[in-house]
Amino acid sequence: MNEFDESRLRDLVPAVISVLVRRGADFASAEDAVQEALIRALQLWPEDPPRDPKGWLVTAAWHKFVDAARAEASRQRRELAVDAEPPAGSAPAGDDTLRLYFLCAHPTLSSAAAVALTLRAVGGLTTRQIAQACLVPEATMAQRIVRAKRRIEGLPLDQHGDLATVLRVLYLVFNEGYGGDIDLAAEAIRLTRQLIALTDDDPEVGGLLALMLLHHARRASRTTPGGGLIPLAEQDRALWDTALIAEGVAILQTALARDRLGEYQAQAAIAALHADAPNVEETDWVQIVEWYDELTALTDSPVVRLNRAVAVGEADGARAGLAALAEVDADVPRRSAVAAYLHERAGDSALAAGLYAEASHAATSVQERDYLAREAARVRQAVGS
Amino acid sequence: MKYLLLKHYRGGPTPAVEFPPMDQWTPEEVDAHVRFMRDFASRLEEAGEFVDMQALSAEGAFVRHGGQGRPPVTDGPFAETKDLIAGWYIIDVDSWDRAVEIAGELSAVPGPGGEPLNEWLEVRPFLGAEAPKTTA
């Protein structure tokens, strides 16, 4: 049996770490031991799969942990912890896994550290895989993980954290990047699916999963073969993954039915309205504006207001969009790009060309810069100057 | 042997042709430029000579240690000297000559009217790589 599912192996990681911690290991040592056991499993399992994968991992990781603990000065203390160990395979691991999510998304950690630690401890990825996916050298990522673990050293695994922070970290993972052999968007979706079961179908977790699925479904249409940006209006909707869209919409409807609206559900509702439209013109912009109003009430962020201005521009015309844009601070990223778009639609091409150029200078990626410079060139040519 | 290629979009040893910024070209000229850059990078990758590349923001500042307290920060000389480092490549090639050849090709990226942009590229050997030969 040469084919075994590596992601299924990764699914076991948080539960195994939790067992070791419950037996008295500290988080950092438990995590190291599980990583070593994983490497061993990857070597052995393709040839000789165990009957009880989780039991195998717990035993292997525990041995690694005990070996490491023996080598240290604190040997005696740790062996006392071994003595105090409750019989193996007791309490259900589900609750512990949820706490592991909370620990990895602890507020004392920076976003980058929380992302790395979550991928490592909850996702079971190796340091090399995380480094490749985040486009940093492996040594840099190793240090980042070590510092993160040191930072949460001694924090109990039994403290309930803030679910909103966990969701934010998972959304960061989703948006992180697509380098290396691990697709972080797919990984974030996998982890969020697990979190749904652990949190008793919390509607905001459902909202986040729906949002990710709806974005992911459009991924193939968002860039040219050379990596250039394609705006929503020009995307080939035949490339959208209809099965993922259907699943996202179904999950969103289940979440909305619980009547506890949150920002991810509202964002997913907007994404669903886009996914549902055969083209830009037939998009239900009026309803999208209504969802943006809900979103503004939930989280009054400048980015939400900026996006709302775009939707108002489509629903009620460019002038109305510009009026909505007037309420957005000048230093919000991409504001000049939105202003350029709305001014062009309102017929003021000369102003639009200058704003597109300004936006291209402030762009944060090569693809975005090239796209906006081309828009500036296009509008300038249309003006005939 | 590794070399750093610094793309000087403006500035350089002798005044290069002063092209307007990209947003003032035609859309077709922008497309041709972007296509060349993309193909150039993939050719280097296929040849096994590509290591890394990054585009740099036009903004920046000069910072140095300034004794106690906060270090002094000044706006770069970017605006005054009309020098703009647009980005860099790291290549891994067999010789200095090959590094120069690649830099020359990259400088021929099309600009307005499809004419080569002729921007200056600064070629700097990593320590241990073959250094420039003294010009005859």
Side-chain angles (χ1 to χ4, degrees), chain B residues 13-133:
Chain B
T14 50
V17 190
E18 284 284 339
F19 282 119
M22 200 157 82
D23 54 74
Q24 291 173 28
W25 305 358
T26 69
E28 293 72 29
E29 287 161 356
V30 175
D31 288 343
H33 181 88
V34 170
R35 200 178 315 119
F36 180 100
M37 294 299 290
R38 195 180 70 220
D39 294 347
F40 184 81
S42 54
R43 274 207 310 280
L44 275 185
E45 278 181 53
E46 278 165 30
E49 294 174 317
F50 178 87
V51 178
D52 202 1
M53 66 165 289
Q54 283 293 324
L56 297 178
S57 165
E59 307 295 322
F62 276 86
V63 179
R64 69 171 169 83
H65 176 62
Q68 284 180 320
R70 290 156 61 88
V73 178
T74 71
D75 285 341
F78 311 108
E80 293 93 279
T81 64
K82 301 257 191 288
D83 188 29
L84 173 78
I85 297 175
W88 49 263
Y89 279 77
I90 294 173
I91 55 173
D92 191 347
V93 294
D94 289 336
S95 65
W96 164 259
D97 290 347
R98 176 63 183 147
V100 168
E101 190 184 359
I102 288 175
E105 276 180 44
L106 184 53
S107 176
V109 61
E115 292 294 311
L117 207 53
N118 287 330
E119 63 183 353
W120 282 103
L121 276 109
E122 188 179 347
V123 182
R124 299 285 299 273
F126 278 40
L127 284 178
E130 186 188 341
K133 296 152 194 154

Side-chain angles (χ1 to χ4, degrees), chain A residues 242-255:
Chain A
T242 48
L244 271 190
I245 289 173
E247 192 196 351
V249 168
I251 291 169
L252 174 65
Q253 281 168 345
T254 308

